[in-house]
């Protein structure tokens, strides 16, 4: 017997009262029948018509867009971007909210994740509950800070540049991205067609005039002649190996932070907001309070940002070990910190490399793991090194909260937590937690 096909509810409309914000750029609402909706383009307290975009009769919850606002929130503004809204670009989540309201919503998400996953109140986490804007990002309602120094444009079948729609491969063609930094916008990627390309990533270093595009051709696609409005280096993603190869110009861009110049090769990781690197270094160093002679670890170290800042502070009698899994990032980190012989950079996954080093103790540790977090095994190992202080840099509040729970099991608790709005208009938020051993 064939199973009965599930009844799709896509397109179904419900009039609902919008409840609290949830992690992921949406709010929670319930239909009169008690069915849970995750509603985008809405704000808490509003009454809206929500149109289902994903889900079936048997689904635990449905995803929906607010297609009509019946009772608007006082925090609502007209979205400044013409490509923001139901069924359009998925790049921003909160274009329809005042800047201060966006930060409050992010704060509520961080608080909810801490409570639900770590069992911590803001007070217990050493956090005042605020999400701090980056320097220069305080703009009036209805305006957008242009902060994004890297934009990956998707290319549609006709070769036009755009951005993906929310949870979709479909491309929303655009003529300008409002959150793109000036250095990205001035390249003019959106003005040209990109035949046979799948994506074009534009990078505008904030620490120099270096500009770069990384082209990903469609299978069998040939590279176009790249003629943009500003001088630019060109790289491509290889069809067979998936690696990034230089076509012409520099294979790296130069960034500036923590009083040093940093080489970042082939689209390697660097904070996207121009103020992020310095903001995070300052928060980490204030929290760790490094001392001369300290043994320090920088885990998931990228191109060496925190390792370099630590090395300056632990002095010649101190030592810093950085661990990074990306081969090119390791090469960059070694190049960037080549003048500091007290720094060693090891290549590999933290959970594999750290046990092999034979290190049994560390004074201070900074970790900046990927979105999934560090995980129980790594947390347990770090705690066994009995550091005086640990700085945890997190781009995902859920992963942070899960790992804080693991740290608590090992006797480490946050003494301070700070949250920064380094991704305005989106649901993303960056946190820095400082942990100490509790009696």
């Amino acid at each position: 017997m064939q199973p009965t096909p599930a009844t799709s509810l896509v397109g179904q409309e419900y009039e609902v009262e919008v409840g609290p914000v949830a992690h992921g750029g949406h709010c929670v609402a319930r239909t009169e029948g008690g069915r849970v909706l995750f509603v985008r383009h809405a704000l808490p307290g509003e009454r809206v018509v929500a149109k289902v975009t994903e889900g079936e009769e048997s689904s635990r919850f449905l995803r929906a867009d607010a297609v009509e606002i019946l009772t608007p929130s006082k925090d609502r503004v007209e979205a400044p971007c013409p490509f923001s809204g139901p069924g359009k670009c998925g790049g921003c989540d909160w274009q329809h909210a005042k800047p201060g309201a966006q930060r409050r919503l992010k704060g509520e998400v961080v608080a909810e994740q801490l409570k639900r996953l770590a069992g911590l109140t803001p007070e217990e986490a050493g956090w005042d509950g605020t999400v701090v804007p980056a320097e220069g990002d305080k703009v009036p309602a209805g305006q957008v800070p242009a902060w994004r120094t890297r934009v990956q444009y998707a290319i549609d079948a006709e070769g036009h540049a755009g951005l993906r729609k929310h949870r979709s491969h479909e491309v929303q063609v655009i003529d300008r991205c409002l959150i793109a930094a000036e250095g990205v916008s001035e390249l003019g990627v959106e003005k040209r067609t990109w035949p046979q390309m799948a994506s074009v990533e534009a990078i505008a270093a904030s620490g120099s005039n270096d500009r770069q595009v990384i082209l990903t051709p469609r299978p069998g696609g040939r590279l176009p002649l790249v003629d943009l409005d500003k001088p630019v280096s060109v790289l491509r993603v290889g069809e067979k190996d998936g690696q990034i190869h230089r076509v012409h110009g520099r294979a790296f861009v130069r960034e500036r932070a923590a009083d040093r110049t940093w080489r970042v090769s082939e689209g390697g990781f660097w904070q996207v907001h121009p103020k992020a690197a310095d903001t995070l270094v300052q928060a980490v160093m204030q929290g760790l309070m490094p001392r001369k002679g300290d043994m320090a670890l920088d885990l998931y170290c990228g191109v060496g940002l925190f390792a370099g800042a630590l090395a300056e502070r632990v002095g010649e009698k101190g030592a810093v070990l950085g661990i990074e899994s990306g081969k090119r990032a390791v090469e960059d980190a070694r190049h960037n910190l080549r003048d500091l012989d007290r720094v060693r950079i090891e290549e590999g996954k933290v959970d594999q490399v750290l046990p092999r080093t034979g290190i049994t103790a560390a004074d201070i540790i900074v970790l900046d793991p990927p979105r999934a977090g560090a995980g129980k095994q790594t947390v347990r190992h770090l705690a066994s090194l009995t550091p005086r202080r640990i700085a945890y840099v997190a781009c995902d509040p859920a992963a942070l909260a899960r790992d804080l729970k693991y740290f608590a099991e090992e006797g480490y608790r946050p003494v301070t937590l700070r949250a920064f709005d380094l991704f305005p208009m989106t649901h993303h938020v960056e946190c820095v937690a400082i942990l100490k051993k509790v009696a």
Side-chain angles (χ1 to χ4, degrees), residues 133-139 145 273 275:
E135 181 190 335
D137 273 2
K138 276 200 165 183
V139 295
H273 193 294
K275 300 292 184 185

Side-chain angles (χ1 to χ4, degrees), residues 210-217 223-224 226 232-239 241-253 263-268 328 331-332:
D210 294 347
R211 304 289 181 261
Q212 196 175 75
V213 294
I214 303 174
L215 307 178
T216 304
L223 288 191
V226 177
V232 65
S233 298
V234 179
L235 290 78
R236 68 166 288 165
V237 177
E239 188 177 333
D241 60 8
Q243 300 296 307
I244 296 176
H245 304 275
R246 186 177 70 88
V247 177
H248 71 73
R250 284 197 185 99
F252 59 86
V253 296
R263 186 181 82 181
V264 185
S265 296
E266 298 180 353
R328 190 47 54 91
E331 292 173 6
D332 282 344

Side-chain angles (χ1 to χ4, degrees), residues 262 296-308 311 319-338 340-348 353 357:
W262 305 88
L297 298 180
D298 179 8
L299 307 178
Y300 316 93
C301 72
V303 300
L305 176 66
F306 295 118
V320 181
L321 172 68
I323 301 177
E324 166 59 41
S325 61
K327 184 177 187 299
R328 190 47 54 91
V330 167
E331 292 173 6
D332 282 344
R334 288 171 177 163
H335 170 86
N336 293 331
L337 304 174
R338 63 195 183 280
L340 298 167
D341 56 11
R342 54 191 172 274
V343 179
R344 190 168 104 239
I345 306 294
E346 295 286 349
E347 181 185 340
V353 172
T357 62

